[in-house]
Amino acid sequence: MRDNTMTLHSFSATVRHALKCCCMFTFVAIVNLVFTSNAIANKRTEAEHQITQLAQWQAAVSQSDFSGLVMVAHKGEAVFQYKFGLANREQNIPFSQNTVFDIGSITKQFTATAIIQLSEAGKLSVQDRITRFFPNVPSDKQNITLHHLLTHSSGLPHGFGLYQKVTRAEFIKTAMAAPLKFEPGAQYSYSNAGYSLLAAVIEQVSGQGYEHYLQTHIFHPAGLNDTGYQRVERRPENIAVHYGRDPNWFQRLLIVKAQSRSVGHSLAHQYRDPGPRWYLLGGGGMLSTTYDMLRWYQTIRTKNPTIMKRTSWNRLFNQYVAENDKKEAFYGYGWRVSKDDMGRSVVSHNGSNGYNLTEFTYYPKLDMFVFKTTNNWDDSPEALINQFDHIAIKEIIHR
């Protein structure tokens, strides 16, 4: 009987222990489930918050007068693209992936790439003086090098015009006669004229027209089939028209806001009066699409060896000349090199003819590309548009 009692007590103790363990296991499981559920809920809340931020941003921009395109890519792939407003108000044509727009001074990236290509091929050196390429260079300009032209440190003026019909010979004559702002290499001063001289150098060294050279050696190898000036066939309905608020003297006097009106698109002058525009060539005015800009980002991130060697690519992004005394940003070869407010490296460029605005921004460490363009800069909600990079980075990092 004692043995049975001991057995029952032992059995009872075993059952109690088992139940206790079971209860503890259940308790731990419940606690883990609660924590896991909370963690999932927190992540969901964070994700929803980020999506809400993007949705709120998109809604706010949609309510503004902004018209244009915004694209983000990460690790080589497009993540999202927003389309706003009309590319052509008169014909009620909205922006789309087929819209062709002016990339302005982003053109300089291609000019600089061509010069470094030719340097890699041994056909020139960035340390060559312009006297090697142009006859009768005035004494004040004889020490200007291609490096000075590439980094906006030549002392040449910003430019002489935009869409005027000017031959290469006329442009070079004007550039050589212009007084320098400072001794070559002394400081930074942005110069479209310097990049037009580089375009002339490309033609002389390669034996090809500037746009023809870019198509053959850069655009087609990189898959940029919709980028260029006149050598690309365009459907007129796809070209974005520019709009602006140019006040007349009376409106300026009374500080009255002028009405937004069409100023035409970037090929209108060419359609009206065909001919060379050397004040523009090499430094701006090229047309492209968002998907060509995406392919250019993909080309840059991989340092596409079919275009040039990795070491040659790296030369484009060096910090050569500080843009100001604070040294907050530097100019490379066709690129602005800086840091954002979080200390991340940024290589970027923008472009405008005064009515449109296009921005190409690449974050190398994040492997992220942000592209924005508008055909109506006067009515662009600048503060709102500038928030987009920060919101997009948070979405990409945390999603």
Side-chain angles (χ1 to χ4, degrees), residues 163-203:
Y163 295 118
Q164 295 96 319
K165 190 162 67 172
V166 177
T167 67
R168 183 174 66 176
E170 290 170 337
F171 158 70
I172 293 171
K173 183 178 179 180
T174 300
M176 294 304 168
L180 293 182
K181 300 170 72 173
F182 49 79
E183 288 291 321
Q187 63 186 74
Y188 170 91
S189 183
Y190 197 83
S191 173
N192 283 331
Y195 268 77
S196 293
L197 282 178
L198 289 169
V201 169
I202 291 166
E203 290 200 342

Side-chain angles (χ1 to χ4, degrees), residues 28 37-39 65-66 74 82 112 126 140 149 177 196 265 280-281 288 292 371:
V28 171
S37 298
N38 285 340
D65 291 325
F66 181 80
H74 186 224
Y82 296 131
V126 296
D140 65 328
L149 298 179
S196 293
H265 57 68
L280 186 68
L281 209 69
S288 190
D292 266 20
F371 185 81

